[in-house]
Amino acid sequence: MSTTTRGWFARSALSLFAIAGVIGLSEPAIAEGAKPSRAVASVSQFARGLQYPRGLKFGPDGHLYVAEAGEGPTSAANPPPCDAKAGPVVYPYTSSATGGRISRIDFKGRRTTVTDSFPRAVNALGDALGVADVTFVDGKLYALVASGGCSHGVGSIPSGVARVHADGSWQMIADLSAYQRANRVATPEPADFEPDGTWYSMIAVHDDLYAVEPNHGELVKITTKGQVSRVVDVSASQGHVVPTAVAHRHGAFFVGNLGEFDPSVVNQQDVFRVTPGAPLAIFASGLSKVLGVAFDSRGRLYVLEMTVGQQFPAPGLGRIVRVTRHGSVKVVATGLSLPTAMTFGPDDDIYVSNWGFGPPGMGEILRIELPDDDDD
């Protein structure tokens, strides 16, 4: 992500603590059978005890799996020598060999740890990297690891994609740190460059994985054998727009961008349509700080906006909107606090990682039951 995107933590920490706990939420289990008619979205707490939750997906067992940056102590700022260092605003990183976590949440919102053996890295502004996202291929769990690499203070483990086994052990199948060193994007931002990237979102399409990297600005394909290839260099046509989230439908990818924390680009983020063999196209515009995109069972696109209407992230200003067939947006849920990702559940509700940044101990998963409507 941009150095400006990462600097919000230090500036906002006091306000985060001041309003902690303002949202009172209940804890229902996933309901079975038909739902009552609903005119407005209902937001409730589904699970608590998450450690900076990021990407999340439902597994073949019906349970929710959540990637987490993790919490806990890190080593002193003494990273191994690197050929290239991260930008001066975020460098140096402190790190620990473990702490990056994946949680499993059952039907009643009870959390258990799948593994906490991934590295965790924290930059000079207090922003944590760990496991960025999870997904499944052929029933196997895969993790997108954003905290690896020398520039993050982790010399022995790269950023990459790992296959996670049932006992919590894992095997790195794709070295994305090495891939980015060997395959520069067209227009990297020199003042805001992370050699090992800041990988953010990952989805499975058929038998392959696709991951988005915000800092360099690209979408890549990763096979389950570890082969990595570029799908699109977003930076080549858009510059440093910080692409973060990806969804897929009918042969096309839909990529949302966070943008920089610049007052001149407030509420000016987009969702891009990426079609093989065609130029990058804007599918929806006028959005704000996009960190999630997902399609419902009717093929309608929903967008998670971390903060709306102001330059820097702030609790309570996150929301979810739906893109209508006319290209406008319809607000479906508001009042989210520093949300970082979303996914649809088997019940057609949206599940959101809330408090994905901010003070420790507040990470939670929200369940959003959408209103009943038939428009767009």
Side-chain angles (χ1 to χ4, degrees), residues 37-195:
S37 177
R38 187 176 301 281
V40 296
S42 171
V43 182
S44 59
Q45 186 187 67
F46 178 64
R48 63 179 67 173
L50 284 299
Q51 299 177 342
Y52 300 123
R54 305 294 164 83
L56 66 173
K57 304 286 192 310
F58 279 86
D61 58 2
H63 294 166
L64 181 62
Y65 290 75
V66 185
E68 297 164 85
E71 296 177 6
T74 56
S75 65
N78 185 28
C82 298
D83 293 334
K85 297 179 180 179
V89 174
V90 297
Y91 191 83
Y93 275 85
T94 59
S95 63
S96 59
T98 60
R101 193 170 79 169
I102 299 173
S103 288
R104 180 193 296 113
I105 301 172
D106 71 9
F107 305 105
K108 294 186 177 180
R110 297 172 297 202
R111 190 203 69 81
T112 56
T113 298
V114 175
T115 180
D116 58 2
S117 60
F118 286 102
R120 178 176 184 267
V122 180
N123 68 21
L125 297 171
D127 187 14
L129 298 176
V131 185
D133 206 351
V134 291
T135 196
F136 291 83
V137 175
D138 291 332
K140 296 181 175 65
L141 174 62
Y142 291 85
L144 180 63
V145 182
S147 51
C150 190
S151 68
H152 295 149
V154 182
S156 60
I157 301 171
S159 288
V161 175
R163 183 182 296 118
V164 183
H165 306 298
D167 62 358
S169 63
W170 52 270
Q171 173 190 4
M172 191 70 72
I173 66 162
D175 184 338
L176 295 177
S177 291
Y179 163 80
Q180 289 199 303
R181 286 195 299 270
N183 299 274
R184 295 287 294 269
V185 295
T187 57
E189 175 55 55
D192 177 20
F193 186 74
E194 300 233 17

Side-chain angles (χ1 to χ4, degrees), residues 16-33:
L16 293 175
F17 280 107
I19 73 160
V22 297
I23 304 176
L25 300 167
S26 58
E27 300 181 67
I30 297 178
E32 297 180 0

